[in-house]
Amino acid sequence: MAKEKKLEVKDLVVSFSTVDGKVQAVRDISFDLHKGETLAIVGESGSGKSVTSKAIIGISSPNALIESGEIIYDGQDLLRITEEDFHKIRGDKIAMIFQDPLSSLNPIVKIGTQLTEAMILKNKASRKNCRKEFNQMLSDLFANINKAENNANVEENKTLAKKFDEFNIVAIDLENKYNASVVAGEEYLPNADDLLLKAEKGVKADFVKMSKSFVKDFAKCQHEYFITKETIAPIIEKAKANHNDKNGFSLDVLVECVKAGKEAVLNAQKLTKPNYFTIGYYVYAHPEDDLSKYTVEELNKLSRKVLDDEFMLSFIDKAVIAMKQSDKDSCQGKRDLIDLIANHRHIFEKETLDKKECSEAYKTLCAGVEASIDKLVVVKDSLAYTFKYSFKGAIDKYFDAVKNNPKEQAKYEKSKAQWEKLASKGKTPDWKVTPPAIIDLELTRKTILMIFDRLVAKYETALQDEAYDYQQGALNLVEFFKEKARGVVDVVTPARARAKALKLMEEVGIPEPAARFKQYPFEFSGGMRQRIVIAIALAANPDILICDEPTTALDVTIQAQILELINRIKAERNLSIIFITHDLGVVANMADRIAVMYAGKIVEYGTDKDIFYNPKHPYTWALLASMPDLETKEKLEAIPGTPPNMIFPPIGDAFAARNKHALKIDFEQQPPLFKINDDHYAATWLLHPDAPKVDPPRIVTQRIARMKAKNQELQRVANIEEVATAVEEKPAKKAPAKKASKKTEEKGGNQ
Amino acid sequence: MEENKQVILKVENLSQYFKMGKRYLKAVDHVSFEINKGEVFGLVGESGCGKTTTGRTIIKLYNATGGNVYFEGQRIVAGIHDYKEAIKVAKEAYKAKVQQGIATEQDKIELAEEVSKQRENIKKAKYDHKYCNRDHARKCVQELDEKWLPILQKAQLKHGVGSDEYKKLHAQYKHDRRVAKNERIVNKIQMIFQDPIGSLDPRMTVREIISEGLVIKGVKDKELIDQQVYDVLEKVGLVAQHANRYPHEFSGGQRQRIGVARSIIMKPDIIIADEPVSALDVSIQAQVINLLNELRHEMGLTILFVAHDLSVVKYFSDKIGVMYYGKMVELATSEELFAHPCHPYTKALLSAIPLPDPDYEKTRTRIVYNPLRDHDYRTEGPTMQEVAPGHFVLCNSEEKARFIKEIEGK
């Protein structure tokens, strides 16, 4: 899997100022989230899981202090962008499913309105945004072309740009129409099955009404390349005549019609799909030509050829020229920037920084970075884009500290003197002296230098590997344009939003969505409310989904449904998910990687297999030991005591006090993250080479052994099946896999 | 399971309907089961299937619509719906006969007999439902009197009426009599609620919360109350100092322990635990389950454990009942149920359990239950039938044959 990083959290520290003192909720955690993976964060309540997720989505409570760290998404540092910018990300790009469904729904607004509201608003914004990005990229592209050609054919290029823009929109319009009918066909199938089942089992139902809705639904499938009018019309006529018949309604006729309709849809799904990107161009360029004389295959071939000959080849050639130019510029920019940084470095290497000098350096360096960014590369380079923000943040922090440190120190001295005065009188004050919040100037200065070093190192490696595939880059650009143009054309009307919402409600398992659409949140049970919340989060089609204990309040069947739903949507949309939970069973199902958190720190970090089959941290052992599975007989090993008070976090390992295997050093010094393999890290002194060897609790080792034996057995059975079927009949390729899974299912039921 | 176990709670055709406009919502519909003394009975099903309502109806928090609940042989819950229905059916049958013109004098007499019989039943049911506590209290008082009166008489003869010894004994007798008078049979069944925060009054100290039951019962001796409160606090793993605190000063697990303490101070025979661990963290869950397990062995408790987490239920229960939309669909010992699930809904439920095993999870496929597709009840409706010793399934005869074959086949 290509590991494209979607989200990076670096050295995040969050604390809360409360009456009793500063609660250190999250203490220096870092993790990455890759594209299309699920990262599970596991821990007890109060371990800082939710605080982390809230910091990511920018809804930390008002008394939260984000002391340091970076959260990088799409080239932006989410901790430093303005609220205005965050509006574009929150809910749209990063969505969240909350723990408590009741508090995240508005009690006085109907469910339907709540579901569609965001869809309509976000659609408006995203269309604008897509249009902007499309135009920006196109103008960047042609600016580069013009530069490369020394403004030789400006007019020609302009028409080319215009052409691309216009034909793309025609194509997408056509494609939307086609997709609507395909989707209608997909929706029709389960309804048809349901109706046939009811008719077969003789269930009492309003079949006349069903017949009417069948006619309505089925008519939507009509499209010249999907189900043609000739096929659809007689079926609909027949059904209509049937339910309009005054002599009485015949169920048999309806069943006949539905069966015919089902067959038509199934047949239509096997047809070749028209390639609308090329057809769109053909329609745009040759509006006089009659398309109906071609079959789909012919049309695809013809339009492809026309597009390539008349437009695309020249466009790609131009794009390649532009990319070469832009790459050349950006390489130059990078080299310049490296020099610039080398020149300006001395300003920040001084003992004390000068404010004026710094702000000037900031301006020149930011301009340099801006020039070094290759704008035509679709995947954004997070370091270059965040340089500005992290640099500014560090400078601001430094000068704030210069201003505030003496004040803090004075405050501390004052309160300390007061305390001592009272103490000398023999009284014990009921308040405590809070240590001064002094920011280390030296450290901040080093951070700035580190920001430089990181960027320079990155650019130097980038300059070394020159081989860039321009052809591929140009194709990527075309894809980018296609996607953005789709975003522009994709209008969500209230009616369409309603249809989409109803479909979503059905997807998340709400029966009779049409009736439920008009109800208020209090009319739903807890599980139903949670599903609504999930539907709302999914409605925006986000990039990253944060699930904060989404299934804790639900029962097993619904939980399984919801997890399946999230997994399916993840696969379909290539979503990245951060999944927060304390239920390890759920984690095993969902996660690709797992981070175990305790007292604001990540204590173990690894792939699902590492954590479940080879856990290393005593806390992970304790979590695994305290949950019963289906074969547990012996007494559960509960974790004694409660998590530590985070106003006064322990000096050593936070888990030491509740840990049977704690060493002496655990109480004195915090363990670093020990590396076990490339993906697996754990923060425990037990992994130190000098530490005594401690085995996980028996309940855990036994379970792991049992799981391994079971999986081997399953594997063996699957293999036997596969061999057997392969011997019996060679061409049946899919059969073994299916059989194996069926066997698994039975086995699962037996446990 | 041993054969000579004594049945402590018997639930018979229990129904609980709620009125929703003109229609009835059948939250619990003819559910029957028995719990033996010292056993843990797990009740599972998805949310909204009537598990909690069953528990609450048993403890008389709702008035049952139909069916009976017997506690140690004494009927404590009785509904009248079934008898009314019987009268209706009989009357309609007679009416139909009259319309056809084949009704005889004999039919009329039979109808009258049937109606009077059912009315008698209704009367009895209403009486039992209302006065089961009074009868129990009277019995308790009688027993107490039988025990105390000879002692008092002896003391009177020995010391005379005015003497201190006699007065002391008399006061003791008066106190016990008051307690006995307030004795209610349903107090022998106690409940632990799901939400530890919602079920504790934030304005009462832990001492007040735990001792409330005793106070209502009529115990006035402060020292006795304190002693008992400290005892139960110790039993559930808290300390005596905690008695003066308020609920908000405790963590989630400790709050649930207070809930447990509140229920065991009444020295119940049965505890109805309504999802006691669903709202807790895994590590705390284990603490509470261990606690319940210890108490159960120590005090000989019988527990009706309502939950939706099947791994916990499997770990904790001896017998399991699976409910689906107000109906009990399968009932068996926990080993048997997990080894040979018969009803398609049970299979669906078992296939949905997530396990802490990533390799297994990747291959696990969930079975979907669709009543319309999985059953064919056009010719014969389902009834509760025994497919193996102690294993009951809601099915018709055709399905029963299939289930028996499945069990034997395995």
Side-chain angles (χ1 to χ4, degrees), chain A residues 65-111:
Chain A
L65 288 171
I66 293 170
E67 297 195 11
S68 71
E70 285 174 1
I71 298 174
I72 293 165
Y73 168 75
D74 197 19
Q76 287 166 303
D77 187 349
L78 297 185
L79 294 176
R80 295 197 174 78
I81 60 174
T82 57
E83 182 62 23
E84 205 63 9
D85 287 334
F86 223 132
H87 283 319
K88 287 176 192 153
I89 291 173
R90 193 185 297 137
D92 193 21
K93 297 281 172 24
I94 304 180
M96 185 154 174
I97 300 170
F98 292 92
Q99 190 169 7
D100 181 9
L102 192 55
S103 63
S104 42
L105 288 171
N106 188 344
I108 53 164
V109 178
K110 284 176 184 165
I111 287 297

Side-chain angles (χ1 to χ4, degrees), chain A residues 6-7 53-59 71-96 118 121-122 125-126 129 133 380 385-386 389 536-537 539-546 575-576:
Chain A
K6 269 277 154 195
L7 188 85
S53 66
K54 281 183 179 166
I56 292 172
I57 204 170
I59 49 166
I71 298 174
I72 293 165
Y73 168 75
D74 197 19
Q76 287 166 303
D77 187 349
L78 297 185
L79 294 176
R80 295 197 174 78
I81 60 174
T82 57
E83 182 62 23
E84 205 63 9
D85 287 334
F86 223 132
H87 283 319
K88 287 176 192 153
I89 291 173
R90 193 185 297 137
D92 193 21
K93 297 281 172 24
I94 304 180
M96 185 154 174
L121 288 176
K122 282 288 177 193
S126 81
N129 208 9
E133 279 181 33
K380 285 177 180 169
Y385 279 87
T386 50
Y389 298 105
I536 291 177
N541 210 347
D543 225 12
I544 295 175
L545 189 66
I546 300 174
L575 269 180
S576 311

